[in-house]
PDB file of all heavy atoms in Angstrom:
ATOM      1  N   LEU A 237       3.304 -33.823 -15.814  1.00  0.00           N
ATOM      2  CA  LEU A 237       4.213 -33.794 -14.650  1.00  0.00           C
ATOM      3  C   LEU A 237       3.940 -32.606 -13.769  1.00  0.00           C
ATOM      4  O   LEU A 237       4.000 -32.637 -12.553  1.00  0.00           O
ATOM      5  CB  LEU A 237       5.674 -33.744 -15.151  1.00  0.00           C
ATOM      6  CG  LEU A 237       6.769 -33.767 -14.086  1.00  0.00           C
ATOM      7  CD1 LEU A 237       6.693 -35.038 -13.265  1.00  0.00           C
ATOM      8  CD2 LEU A 237       8.131 -33.596 -14.681  1.00  0.00           C
ATOM      9  N   LEU A 238       3.584 -31.431 -14.391  1.00  0.00           N
ATOM     10  CA  LEU A 238       3.261 -30.238 -13.634  1.00  0.00           C
ATOM     11  C   LEU A 238       2.036 -30.542 -12.703  1.00  0.00           C
ATOM     12  O   LEU A 238       2.009 -30.192 -11.529  1.00  0.00           O
ATOM     13  CB  LEU A 238       2.986 -29.093 -14.579  1.00  0.00           C
ATOM     14  CG  LEU A 238       2.429 -27.797 -13.918  1.00  0.00           C
ATOM     15  CD1 LEU A 238       3.420 -27.222 -12.900  1.00  0.00           C
ATOM     16  CD2 LEU A 238       2.145 -26.768 -14.980  1.00  0.00           C
ATOM     17  N   GLU A 239       1.047 -31.171 -13.339  1.00  0.00           N
ATOM     18  CA  GLU A 239      -0.196 -31.454 -12.593  1.00  0.00           C
ATOM     19  C   GLU A 239       0.124 -32.349 -11.375  1.00  0.00           C
ATOM     20  O   GLU A 239      -0.319 -32.119 -10.271  1.00  0.00           O
ATOM     21  CB  GLU A 239      -1.200 -32.167 -13.506  1.00  0.00           C
ATOM     22  CG  GLU A 239      -2.646 -31.944 -13.112  1.00  0.00           C
ATOM     23  CD  GLU A 239      -3.592 -32.515 -14.173  1.00  0.00           C
ATOM     24  OE1 GLU A 239      -3.177 -32.685 -15.345  1.00  0.00           O
ATOM     25  OE2 GLU A 239      -4.727 -32.845 -13.785  1.00  0.00           O
ATOM     26  N   ARG A 240       0.960 -33.366 -11.665  1.00  0.00           N
ATOM     27  CA  ARG A 240       1.325 -34.299 -10.578  1.00  0.00           C
ATOM     28  C   ARG A 240       2.159 -33.555  -9.532  1.00  0.00           C
ATOM     29  O   ARG A 240       1.934 -33.766  -8.314  1.00  0.00           O
ATOM     30  CB  ARG A 240       2.193 -35.435 -11.199  1.00  0.00           C
ATOM     31  CG  ARG A 240       2.640 -36.527 -10.250  1.00  0.00           C
ATOM     32  CD  ARG A 240       3.532 -37.509 -10.905  1.00  0.00           C
ATOM     33  NE  ARG A 240       2.950 -38.312 -11.953  1.00  0.00           N
ATOM     34  CZ  ARG A 240       2.229 -39.421 -11.720  1.00  0.00           C
ATOM     35  NH1 ARG A 240       2.044 -39.858 -10.500  1.00  0.00           N
ATOM     36  NH2 ARG A 240       1.683 -40.062 -12.736  1.00  0.00           N
ATOM     37  N   ALA A 241       3.080 -32.703  -9.954  1.00  0.00           N
ATOM     38  CA  ALA A 241       3.910 -31.997  -8.933  1.00  0.00           C
ATOM     39  C   ALA A 241       3.079 -31.102  -8.085  1.00  0.00           C
ATOM     40  O   ALA A 241       3.321 -30.953  -6.893  1.00  0.00           O
ATOM     41  CB  ALA A 241       4.995 -31.233  -9.713  1.00  0.00           C
ATOM     42  N   ARG A 242       2.131 -30.406  -8.700  1.00  0.00           N
ATOM     43  CA  ARG A 242       1.251 -29.578  -7.891  1.00  0.00           C
ATOM     44  C   ARG A 242       0.479 -30.363  -6.838  1.00  0.00           C
ATOM     45  O   ARG A 242       0.296 -29.924  -5.706  1.00  0.00           O
ATOM     46  CB  ARG A 242       0.222 -28.904  -8.844  1.00  0.00           C
ATOM     47  CG  ARG A 242       0.799 -27.665  -9.499  1.00  0.00           C
ATOM     48  CD  ARG A 242      -0.378 -26.957 -10.186  1.00  0.00           C
ATOM     49  NE  ARG A 242      -0.042 -25.618 -10.512  1.00  0.00           N
ATOM     50  CZ  ARG A 242      -0.325 -25.035 -11.687  1.00  0.00           C
ATOM     51  NH1 ARG A 242      -0.911 -25.699 -12.615  1.00  0.00           N
ATOM     52  NH2 ARG A 242       0.026 -23.741 -11.877  1.00  0.00           N
ATOM     53  N   ARG A 243       0.064 -31.539  -7.213  1.00  0.00           N
ATOM     54  CA  ARG A 243      -0.735 -32.367  -6.309  1.00  0.00           C
ATOM     55  C   ARG A 243       0.140 -32.911  -5.190  1.00  0.00           C
ATOM     56  O   ARG A 243      -0.206 -32.844  -4.026  1.00  0.00           O
ATOM     57  CB  ARG A 243      -1.401 -33.503  -7.112  1.00  0.00           C
ATOM     58  CG  ARG A 243      -2.581 -34.126  -6.490  1.00  0.00           C
ATOM     59  CD  ARG A 243      -3.259 -35.126  -7.449  1.00  0.00           C
ATOM     60  NE  ARG A 243      -2.358 -36.102  -8.001  1.00  0.00           N
ATOM     61  CZ  ARG A 243      -2.109 -36.313  -9.311  1.00  0.00           C
ATOM     62  NH1 ARG A 243      -2.691 -35.585 -10.216  1.00  0.00           N
ATOM     63  NH2 ARG A 243      -1.248 -37.263  -9.650  1.00  0.00           N
ATOM     64  N   VAL A 244       1.335 -33.405  -5.557  1.00  0.00           N
ATOM     65  CA  VAL A 244       2.178 -34.097  -4.589  1.00  0.00           C
ATOM     66  C   VAL A 244       2.934 -33.065  -3.720  1.00  0.00           C
ATOM     67  O   VAL A 244       2.996 -33.187  -2.517  1.00  0.00           O
ATOM     68  CB  VAL A 244       3.177 -35.031  -5.272  1.00  0.00           C
ATOM     69  CG1 VAL A 244       4.194 -35.603  -4.297  1.00  0.00           C
ATOM     70  CG2 VAL A 244       2.451 -36.132  -6.040  1.00  0.00           C
ATOM     71  N   LEU A 245       3.445 -32.052  -4.345  1.00  0.00           N
ATOM     72  CA  LEU A 245       4.294 -31.094  -3.562  1.00  0.00           C
ATOM     73  C   LEU A 245       3.463 -29.930  -3.019  1.00  0.00           C
ATOM     74  O   LEU A 245       3.871 -29.225  -2.143  1.00  0.00           O
ATOM     75  CB  LEU A 245       5.417 -30.564  -4.465  1.00  0.00           C
ATOM     76  CG  LEU A 245       6.375 -31.607  -5.086  1.00  0.00           C
ATOM     77  CD1 LEU A 245       7.430 -30.927  -5.902  1.00  0.00           C
ATOM     78  CD2 LEU A 245       6.980 -32.496  -4.015  1.00  0.00           C
ATOM     79  N   SER A 246       2.352 -29.687  -3.622  1.00  0.00           N
ATOM     80  CA  SER A 246       1.457 -28.595  -3.201  1.00  0.00           C
ATOM     81  C   SER A 246       2.249 -27.274  -3.133  1.00  0.00           C
ATOM     82  O   SER A 246       2.952 -26.928  -4.067  1.00  0.00           O
ATOM     83  CB  SER A 246       0.774 -28.944  -1.872  1.00  0.00           C
ATOM     84  OG  SER A 246      -0.194 -28.008  -1.502  1.00  0.00           O
ATOM     85  N   ALA A 247       2.178 -26.607  -2.047  1.00  0.00           N
ATOM     86  CA  ALA A 247       2.848 -25.312  -1.926  1.00  0.00           C
ATOM     87  C   ALA A 247       4.375 -25.427  -1.812  1.00  0.00           C
ATOM     88  O   ALA A 247       5.103 -24.412  -1.815  1.00  0.00           O
ATOM     89  CB  ALA A 247       2.309 -24.550  -0.729  1.00  0.00           C
ATOM     90  N   SER A 248       4.889 -26.654  -1.682  1.00  0.00           N
ATOM     91  CA  SER A 248       6.351 -26.797  -1.717  1.00  0.00           C
ATOM     92  C   SER A 248       6.932 -26.726  -3.098  1.00  0.00           C
ATOM     93  O   SER A 248       8.170 -26.661  -3.262  1.00  0.00           O
ATOM     94  CB  SER A 248       6.769 -28.170  -1.088  1.00  0.00           C
ATOM     95  OG  SER A 248       6.223 -28.239   0.233  1.00  0.00           O
ATOM     96  N   LEU A 249       6.083 -26.746  -4.120  1.00  0.00           N
ATOM     97  CA  LEU A 249       6.565 -26.591  -5.508  1.00  0.00           C
ATOM     98  C   LEU A 249       6.852 -25.117  -5.740  1.00  0.00           C
ATOM     99  O   LEU A 249       5.962 -24.297  -5.857  1.00  0.00           O
ATOM    100  CB  LEU A 249       5.497 -27.083  -6.476  1.00  0.00           C
ATOM    101  CG  LEU A 249       5.914 -26.941  -7.959  1.00  0.00           C
ATOM    102  CD1 LEU A 249       7.036 -27.884  -8.348  1.00  0.00           C
ATOM    103  CD2 LEU A 249       4.707 -27.193  -8.884  1.00  0.00           C
ATOM    104  N   THR A 250       8.170 -24.781  -5.757  1.00  0.00           N
ATOM    105  CA  THR A 250       8.523 -23.351  -5.902  1.00  0.00           C
ATOM    106  C   THR A 250       9.178 -23.062  -7.247  1.00  0.00           C
ATOM    107  O   THR A 250       9.415 -21.905  -7.544  1.00  0.00           O
ATOM    108  CB  THR A 250       9.467 -22.936  -4.789  1.00  0.00           C
ATOM    109  OG1 THR A 250      10.557 -23.847  -4.657  1.00  0.00           O
ATOM    110  CG2 THR A 250       8.731 -22.894  -3.454  1.00  0.00           C
ATOM    111  N   GLY A 251       9.398 -24.078  -8.048  1.00  0.00           N
ATOM    112  CA  GLY A 251       9.932 -23.818  -9.395  1.00  0.00           C
ATOM    113  C   GLY A 251       9.593 -24.927 -10.320  1.00  0.00           C
ATOM    114  O   GLY A 251       9.657 -26.110  -9.946  1.00  0.00           O
ATOM    115  N   PHE A 252       9.180 -24.597 -11.561  1.00  0.00           N
ATOM    116  CA  PHE A 252       8.896 -25.592 -12.550  1.00  0.00           C
ATOM    117  C   PHE A 252       9.265 -25.031 -13.923  1.00  0.00           C
ATOM    118  O   PHE A 252       8.455 -24.345 -14.545  1.00  0.00           O
ATOM    119  CB  PHE A 252       7.437 -26.014 -12.494  1.00  0.00           C
ATOM    120  CG  PHE A 252       7.143 -27.342 -13.217  1.00  0.00           C
ATOM    121  CD1 PHE A 252       7.092 -28.528 -12.496  1.00  0.00           C
ATOM    122  CD2 PHE A 252       6.964 -27.391 -14.591  1.00  0.00           C
ATOM    123  CE1 PHE A 252       6.874 -29.744 -13.150  1.00  0.00           C
ATOM    124  CE2 PHE A 252       6.719 -28.589 -15.260  1.00  0.00           C
ATOM    125  CZ  PHE A 252       6.664 -29.770 -14.533  1.00  0.00           C
ATOM    126  N   GLU A 253      10.490 -25.234 -14.316  1.00  0.00           N
ATOM    127  CA  GLU A 253      11.028 -24.602 -15.505  1.00  0.00           C
ATOM    128  C   GLU A 253      11.148 -25.592 -16.652  1.00  0.00           C
ATOM    129  O   GLU A 253      11.652 -26.707 -16.449  1.00  0.00           O
ATOM    130  CB  GLU A 253      12.426 -24.006 -15.174  1.00  0.00           C
ATOM    131  CG  GLU A 253      12.406 -22.988 -14.069  1.00  0.00           C
ATOM    132  CD  GLU A 253      11.857 -21.631 -14.586  1.00  0.00           C
ATOM    133  OE1 GLU A 253      12.302 -21.152 -15.626  1.00  0.00           O
ATOM    134  OE2 GLU A 253      10.959 -21.095 -13.912  1.00  0.00           O
ATOM    135  N   LEU A 254      10.709 -25.142 -17.811  1.00  0.00           N
ATOM    136  CA  LEU A 254      10.764 -25.973 -19.016  1.00  0.00           C
ATOM    137  C   LEU A 254      11.900 -25.548 -19.884  1.00  0.00           C
ATOM    138  O   LEU A 254      12.176 -24.337 -20.055  1.00  0.00           O
ATOM    139  CB  LEU A 254       9.424 -25.842 -19.777  1.00  0.00           C
ATOM    140  CG  LEU A 254       9.342 -26.550 -21.114  1.00  0.00           C
ATOM    141  CD1 LEU A 254       8.904 -28.023 -20.872  1.00  0.00           C
ATOM    142  CD2 LEU A 254       8.310 -25.865 -22.045  1.00  0.00           C
ATOM    143  N   MET A 255      12.566 -26.511 -20.544  1.00  0.00           N
ATOM    144  CA  MET A 255      13.590 -26.209 -21.535  1.00  0.00           C
ATOM    145  C   MET A 255      13.476 -27.185 -22.703  1.00  0.00           C
ATOM    146  O   MET A 255      13.466 -28.387 -22.480  1.00  0.00           O
ATOM    147  CB  MET A 255      15.002 -26.364 -20.905  1.00  0.00           C
ATOM    148  CG  MET A 255      15.345 -25.305 -19.854  1.00  0.00           C
ATOM    149  SD  MET A 255      16.447 -25.973 -18.596  1.00  0.00           S
ATOM    150  CE  MET A 255      15.306 -26.993 -17.677  1.00  0.00           C
ATOM    151  N   GLY A 256      13.439 -26.635 -23.866  1.00  0.00           N
ATOM    152  CA  GLY A 256      13.431 -27.489 -25.058  1.00  0.00           C
ATOM    153  C   GLY A 256      14.843 -28.010 -25.351  1.00  0.00           C
ATOM    154  O   GLY A 256      15.814 -27.514 -24.799  1.00  0.00           O
ATOM    155  N   ARG A 257      14.913 -28.995 -26.232  1.00  0.00           N
ATOM    156  CA  ARG A 257      16.230 -29.574 -26.585  1.00  0.00           C
ATOM    157  C   ARG A 257      17.165 -28.558 -27.183  1.00  0.00           C
ATOM    158  O   ARG A 257      18.344 -28.528 -26.863  1.00  0.00           O
ATOM    159  CB  ARG A 257      16.015 -30.751 -27.539  1.00  0.00           C
ATOM    160  CG  ARG A 257      17.311 -31.437 -27.982  1.00  0.00           C
ATOM    161  CD  ARG A 257      17.032 -32.764 -28.680  1.00  0.00           C
ATOM    162  NE  ARG A 257      15.912 -32.583 -29.628  1.00  0.00           N
ATOM    163  CZ  ARG A 257      15.132 -33.589 -30.036  1.00  0.00           C
ATOM    164  NH1 ARG A 257      15.306 -34.827 -29.596  1.00  0.00           N
ATOM    165  NH2 ARG A 257      14.137 -33.359 -30.909  1.00  0.00           N
TER     166      ARG A 257
END
Side-chain angles (χ1 to χ4, degrees):
Chain A
L237 181 62
L238 173 61
E239 205 175 338
R240 183 186 294 278
R242 277 189 163 136
R243 201 171 53 238
V244 174
L245 304 182
S246 188
S248 302
L249 179 68
T250 50
F252 196 97
E253 299 287 310
L254 177 84
M255 292 150 283
R257 179 167 45 203

